[in-house]
């Protein structure tokens, strides 16, 4: 069923209604925690700090050859390095060594706590004994159990942004806690040395160093002998020089060929311009250069004389003869230089071929020297490291430094009494409020007029407060009467049925209060018919409505008057059969009551417990359902309303 919207008034009402529950719950929680502070055994914590030094233990050697000792890299420690140290602390070897050193497996633990803690410990032991008996868990030895207990007592964690580890030990005895932590640090440092230490490798590296040194000397001797035998200082340098000479010789040979072409043009019909351009080019040979310049000078003179004196002039003919002799001299020089250059090129090519054939062997010898040199340097470094490692092993030099010694705790870390009491107070109040609202959520009783409108879809006519007195508030009774007249102004509304869902909801008091409020009007005759017999004093004769129906009494004789209110009881018969409700006598009697009285208030038994309410529902002009707040579940009230409607009744409202 849906829940209606809550308002601040509803919250305050719940807190006020459940105030005793909230206070009781808070006091109970506070009392339990207060007692637990003294029952629960104290636990003491010893704490120490160690620093991990970046040293040779974090040295990472390059698996390839290292070129110099300066290339040894000190690696920055990572989270994995710190976690590795923590794993050493928690390792079985370290903890087992501590257990054996302090004999924790045979030492009797001090009694912890009072009877409550003893009972818990006994229950835990019984549970594990059952697991062992059923073979669901292997039974540990005393040493294994001591190691497991020690692992739970030890806590190691890194300090943020540092290489410092905090190590703590919690135990019921402060002296034992300090003793255990001291032993843990000692065993941790020893295990650290064992893990990072190396075997005595100095003789091995010394042997390898001497062997490689001898091999390097042999390789260097072989390379030197090869160079001396083949007249090679450096193959690469010599080859570079020969290539330079070879290129210059080829370039000179090409120049000589071009000059030969120019001399042929001088003899032939070449133009002065092309001849001069060719002869003006530089050459590598000084002899050729001198002859070339003389020829250019004579050609220039011939050109000037031809222009001034003509080609047939004797001087021009004489200069032509000189040019012919100069050309012959240049051709001879060119031929000799070409032969010399060609021979030089051939010699250079032969030498280059020889160098190429020696290059492979020379490279192998040179590479062997480099490899042996690198290997010698590598073994020299390893030899140095082995010397340092052996010294570290011998003197037990570790990269673990203890910053602070294990402290002797003075005050227990648990229980924290003041903190626990504060938390208990807050938790008790919050838990009590939560429990109150939870019970309120589970409570489906009708509590307020808003609940009536939301869940029952029926208007609330009045709200009477619970009082120890028989009579209800007259003002609220007047309000109920006024609400009935305002909500149902029909003048035919004379016979009103007052009933409840179940017994004990005070419907007789509501019926009487409504009848008395209606009887205050002197012009209105009001009759209260109590068909249950729990709201009126019986007639002295004991006669009532049932006697009138049976014909044993007259209506005028059984109706009595209290002030302005007329009252009528049930009578001597305690049961009214269903057929009688449907008889003409009942219909005639009720019609007679409508004619005699302006309003008839008819109080009958509960709807779910008596058939009178359902039988009367179809005969009455309307029904008012009485509900005791916080008592009857709304599902019960809804069922009663459904039954009244199924009986052709008319529900006027709820009081």
């Amino acid at each position: 069923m849906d829940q209606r919207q809550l308002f601040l008034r509803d919250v305050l009402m719940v807190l006020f209604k459940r105030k005793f529950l909230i206070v009781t719950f808070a006091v109970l929680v506070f009392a339990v925690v207060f007692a637990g502070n003294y029952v629960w055994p104290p636990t003491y914590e010893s704490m120490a700090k160690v620093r991990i030094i970046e040293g040779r233990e974090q040295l990472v050697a390059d698996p390839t050859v290292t070129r110099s000792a300066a290339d040894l890299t000190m690696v920055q420690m990572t989270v994995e390095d710190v976690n590795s140290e923590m794993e050493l602390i928690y390792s079985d070897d370290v903890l087992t060594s501590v257990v054996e050193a302090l004999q924790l497996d045979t030492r009797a633990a001090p009694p912890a706590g009072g009877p409550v803690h003893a009972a818990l410990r006994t229950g835990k032991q019984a549970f594990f004994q059952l697991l062992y008996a059923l073979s669901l868990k292997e039974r540990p030895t005393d040493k294994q159990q001591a190691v497991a207990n020690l692992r739970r007592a030890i806590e190691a964690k890194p300090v943020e942004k540092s290489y410092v580890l905090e190590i703590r030990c919690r135990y019921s005895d402060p002296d034992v806690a300090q003793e255990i932590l001291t032993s843990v640090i000692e065993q941790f440092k020893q295990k650290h040395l064992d893990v990072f230490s190396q075997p005595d490798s100095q003789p091995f590296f010394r042997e390898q160093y001497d062997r490689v040194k001898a091999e390097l000397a042999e390789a260097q001797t072989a390379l030197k002998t090869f160079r001396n035998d083949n007249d090679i200082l450096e193959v690469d340098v010599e080859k570079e020089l020969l290539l330079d000479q070879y290129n210059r010789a080829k370039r000179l040979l090409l120049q000589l060929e071009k000059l030969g072409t120019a001399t042929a043009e001088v003899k032939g019909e070449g133009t002065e311009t092309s001849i001069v351009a060719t002869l003006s080019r530089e050459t590598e040979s000084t002899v050729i250069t001198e002859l070339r310049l003389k020829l250019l000078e004579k050609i220039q003179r011939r050109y000037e004389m031809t222009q001034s004196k003509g080609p047939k002039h004797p001087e021009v003919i004489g200069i032509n003869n000189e040019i012919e002799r100069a050309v012959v001299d240049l051709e001879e020089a060119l031929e000799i230089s070409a032969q010399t250059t060609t021979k030089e090129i051939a010699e250079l090519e032969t030498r280059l071929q020889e160098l190429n054939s020696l290059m492979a062997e020379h490279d192998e010898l040179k590479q062997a020297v480099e490899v042996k040199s690198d290997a010698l340097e590598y073994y020299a470094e390893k030899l140095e490291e082995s010397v340092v490692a052996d010294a570290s092993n011998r003197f037990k030099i570790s990269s673990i430094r203890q910053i602070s010694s294990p402290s002797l705790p003075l005050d227990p870390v648990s229980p924290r009494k003041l903190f626990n009491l504060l938390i208990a107070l807050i938790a008790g109040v919050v838990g009590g409020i939560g429990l109150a609202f939870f019970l309120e959520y589970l409570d489906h009783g009708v509590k307020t007029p808003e609940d009536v409108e939301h869940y029952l879809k029926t208007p609330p006519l009045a709200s009477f407060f619970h009082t120890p007195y028989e009579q209800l508030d007259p003002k609220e009774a007047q309000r109920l009467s006024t609400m009935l007249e305002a909500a149902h102004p029909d003048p035919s509304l004379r016979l009103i049925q007052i009933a409840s869902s179940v017994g004990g909801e005070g419907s007789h008091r509501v019926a009487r209060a409504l009848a008395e409020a209606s009887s205050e009007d002197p012009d209105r005759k009001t009759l209260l018919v109590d068909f249950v017999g729990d709201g009126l004093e019986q007639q002295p004769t004991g006669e009532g409505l049932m006697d009138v129906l049976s014909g044993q009494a007259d209506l005028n004789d059984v109706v009595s008057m209290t002030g302005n209110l007329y009252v009528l009881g049930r009578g001597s018969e305690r049961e009214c059969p269903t057929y009688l409700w449907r008889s003409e006598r009942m219909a005639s009697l009720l019609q007679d009551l409508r004619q005699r009285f302006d309003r008839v208030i008819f109080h009958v038994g509960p709807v779910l417990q008596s058939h009178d309410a359902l039988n009367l529902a179809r005969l009455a002009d309307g029904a008012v359902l009485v509900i005791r707040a916080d008592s009857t579940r709304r599902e019960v009230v809804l069922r009663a309303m459904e039954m009244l409607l199924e009986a052709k009744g008319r529900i006027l409202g709820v009081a």
Side-chain angles (χ1 to χ4, degrees):
M1 187 176 294
D2 59 338
Q3 299 290 325
R4 71 178 183 85
Q5 184 178 1
L6 292 178
F7 298 95
L8 179 60
R9 185 191 67 179
D10 301 316
V11 174
L12 296 178
M13 184 184 68
V14 172
L15 296 178
F16 181 79
K17 184 175 69 174
R18 308 277 185 179
K19 59 182 180 296
F20 180 75
L21 172 65
I22 296 173
V23 173
T24 303
F25 185 84
V27 171
L28 180 62
V29 172
F30 187 85
V32 170
V33 175
F34 183 82
N37 280 336
Y38 295 95
V39 173
W40 201 259
T43 301
Y44 296 88
E45 181 182 81
S46 179
M47 190 269 288
K49 293 182 179 181
V50 297
R51 188 185 190 282
I52 305 173
I53 306 297
E54 297 171 285
R56 285 194 167 272
E57 295 162 0
Q58 284 76 43
L59 184 62
V60 176
D62 189 355
T64 60
V65 177
T66 308
R67 291 195 171 274
S68 67
D71 293 336
L72 290 175
T73 305
M74 301 299 291
V75 178
Q76 185 76 10
M77 291 182 62
T78 63
V79 177
E80 290 75 11
D81 297 327
V82 179
N83 291 338
S84 300
E85 300 295 341
M86 293 174 57
E87 289 299 322
L88 286 180
I89 298 175
Y90 289 112
S91 65
D92 289 341
D93 292 346
V94 171
L95 299 183
T96 302
S97 300
V98 174
V99 170
E100 293 175 350
L102 302 180
Q103 297 181 351
L104 297 179
D105 52 339
T106 58
R107 179 185 297 185
V116 176
H117 190 268
L120 293 176
R121 185 170 62 253
T122 303
K124 181 179 179 181
Q125 292 175 354
F127 174 72
F128 279 104
Q129 291 297 331
L130 178 61
L131 295 180
Y132 301 150
L134 297 177
S135 299
L136 298 177
K137 186 177 179 64
E138 292 294 332
R139 185 186 300 273
T141 63
D142 293 340
K143 182 178 293 185
Q144 290 174 341
Q145 187 63 45
V147 169
N149 295 337
L150 181 58
R151 181 174 284 110
R152 288 192 293 268
I154 294 297
E155 179 186 6
K157 64 179 181 179
V159 178
E160 187 177 0
K161 296 181 180 179
S162 69
Y163 299 140
V164 177
L165 289 180
E166 279 187 357
I167 309 176
R168 303 173 185 267
C169 176
R170 293 190 174 186
Y171 204 74
S172 55
D173 189 337
D175 295 325
V176 177
Q178 184 185 34
E179 183 182 7
I180 290 176
L181 188 56
T182 302
S183 180
V184 166
I185 294 177
E186 292 177 356
Q187 297 299 331
F188 165 55
K189 294 167 70 175
Q190 181 60 45
K191 186 63 177 178
H192 181 89
L193 283 174
D194 296 340
V195 170
F196 287 100
S197 64
Q198 299 177 358
D200 189 8
S201 57
Q202 184 175 353
F204 170 76
F205 287 114
R206 172 69 65 183
E207 179 183 355
Q208 296 300 319
Y209 175 80
D210 294 339
R211 178 184 60 82
V212 174
K213 184 176 181 181
E215 293 177 353
L216 176 61
E218 293 178 0
Q220 290 175 340
T221 301
L223 179 61
K224 183 177 181 181
T225 302
F226 178 82
R227 288 176 175 175
N228 293 333
D229 293 344
N230 295 277
D231 195 17
I232 299 175
L233 296 176
E234 286 291 341
V235 176
D236 293 336
V237 176
E238 183 177 357
K239 185 176 180 179
E240 184 178 356
L241 292 175
L242 291 177
L243 287 175
D244 183 60
Q245 294 176 8
Y246 179 80
N247 292 330
R248 284 189 298 171
K250 294 290 288 184
R251 188 166 55 252
L252 177 59
L253 186 61
L254 181 62
Q255 295 172 355
L256 294 177
E257 292 178 356
K258 292 182 177 180
L259 286 176
T261 303
T263 55
E265 291 178 353
V266 172
K267 292 180 178 181
E269 297 178 356
T271 61
E272 294 289 341
T273 304
S274 62
I275 294 172
V276 171
T278 303
L279 292 177
S280 298
R281 295 177 180 176
E282 294 292 335
T283 59
E284 301 291 337
S285 175
T286 55
V287 176
I288 300 301
T289 301
E290 183 178 355
L291 294 176
R292 176 177 57 81
L293 293 177
K294 289 181 178 181
L295 180 59
L296 281 173
E297 182 182 358
K298 294 182 181 299
I299 292 174
Q300 182 65 27
R301 286 174 54 197
R302 184 181 66 181
Y303 176 75
E304 294 174 355
M305 294 177 65
T306 302
Q307 293 294 327
S308 61
K309 299 180 180 181
K312 301 298 184 178
H313 193 274
E315 292 183 3
V316 174
I317 295 174
I319 197 62
N320 284 333
N321 294 331
E322 292 179 3
I323 290 174
E324 289 178 358
R325 288 193 298 271
V327 168
V328 172
D329 294 339
L330 181 58
E331 287 178 346
E332 291 178 356
L334 288 174
E335 183 178 358
I336 295 172
S337 180
Q339 292 176 356
T340 304
T341 303
T342 302
K343 183 179 179 181
E344 182 182 1
I345 290 174
E347 292 177 353
L348 290 173
E349 289 178 349
T350 301
R351 183 57 179 169
L352 286 173
Q353 290 176 358
E354 292 177 358
L355 288 179
N356 289 334
S357 64
L358 296 176
M359 183 64 70
E361 185 176 358
H362 180 269
D363 289 343
E364 290 180 0
L365 294 174
K366 185 177 180 181
Q367 184 177 5
V369 171
E370 293 176 353
V371 169
K372 297 301 180 181
S373 177
D374 293 340
L376 181 64
E377 185 176 351
Y378 172 77
Y379 282 114
E381 293 167 358
K382 301 306 285 186
L383 179 60
E384 180 186 358
E385 291 178 13
S386 65
V387 171
V388 175
D390 292 344
S392 299
N393 296 339
R394 187 165 55 256
F395 295 102
K396 295 185 178 181
I397 300 174
S398 173
S399 63
I400 302 299
R401 297 292 184 271
Q402 186 169 326
I403 298 178
S404 61
S405 301
S407 59
L408 179 61
L410 300 178
D411 298 322
V413 294
S414 68
R416 294 184 290 178
K417 297 181 180 180
L418 183 61
F419 177 78
N420 292 344
L421 292 177
L422 180 61
I423 294 298
L425 181 61
I426 297 174
V429 174
V430 174
I433 294 175
L435 181 61
F437 278 97
F438 180 69
L439 294 177
E440 192 73 14
Y441 173 78
L442 296 180
D443 184 8
H444 285 195
V446 180
K447 308 174 186 63
T448 62
E450 288 80 4
D451 289 345
V452 173
E453 290 182 330
H454 182 77
Y455 296 114
L456 306 182
K457 310 300 181 185
T458 301
L461 301 177
S463 298
F464 294 95
F465 290 99
H466 297 293
T467 62
Y469 306 104
E470 183 67 22
Q471 188 177 10
L472 298 180
D473 186 4
K475 294 182 179 180
E476 194 65 21
Q478 288 287 351
R479 180 177 182 275
L480 174 59
S481 178
T482 303
M483 289 294 295
L484 282 173
E485 294 177 357
H488 306 282
D490 189 356
S492 62
L493 184 63
R494 289 178 177 270
L495 197 155
I496 301 176
Q497 175 185 357
I498 306 296
S500 61
S501 302
V502 293
E505 298 198 71
S507 58
H508 64 286
R509 300 172 66 185
V510 175
R512 183 173 178 176
L514 177 60
E516 290 177 350
S518 181
S519 66
E520 292 180 359
D521 187 357
D523 297 331
R524 174 186 292 175
K525 295 175 63 178
T526 303
L527 172 66
L528 172 61
V529 179
D530 188 1
F531 208 62
V532 180
D534 57 356
L536 295 173
E537 296 179 358
Q538 297 294 327
Q539 292 290 336
T541 61
E543 296 177 338
L545 183 62
M546 293 299 297
D547 298 298
V548 176
L549 288 173
S550 62
Q552 298 178 4
D554 185 74
L555 181 61
N556 295 325
D557 297 334
V558 297
V559 174
S560 61
M561 192 171 183
T562 302
N564 295 332
L565 177 63
Y566 295 88
V567 294
L568 175 62
R570 183 185 185 93
S572 58
E573 298 291 336
R574 305 308 302 170
E575 295 293 335
C576 181
T578 302
Y579 74 88
L580 191 59
W581 282 102
R582 298 181 180 181
S583 63
E584 292 294 334
R585 285 179 293 172
M586 178 65 78
S588 176
L589 177 59
L590 295 179
Q591 186 61 32
D592 188 15
L593 294 177
R594 285 188 177 94
Q595 292 176 358
R596 289 190 181 193
F597 299 96
D598 297 317
R599 174 164 292 178
V600 179
I601 308 299
F602 212 114
H603 175 225
V604 292
V607 177
L608 300 179
Q609 298 175 358
S610 172
H611 62 88
D612 294 336
L614 299 177
N615 289 321
L616 180 62
R618 62 186 181 83
L619 301 175
D621 298 328
V624 175
L625 199 61
V626 179
I627 303 174
R628 183 182 292 272
D630 293 331
S631 176
T632 308
R633 293 173 61 87
R634 52 181 177 264
E635 292 85 0
V636 176
V637 179
L638 285 172
R639 179 56 183 159
M641 295 175 62
E642 291 175 359
M643 293 177 67
L644 288 175
L645 295 176
E646 290 174 358
K648 309 300 181 184
R650 178 187 179 191
I651 300 176
L652 301 177
V654 174

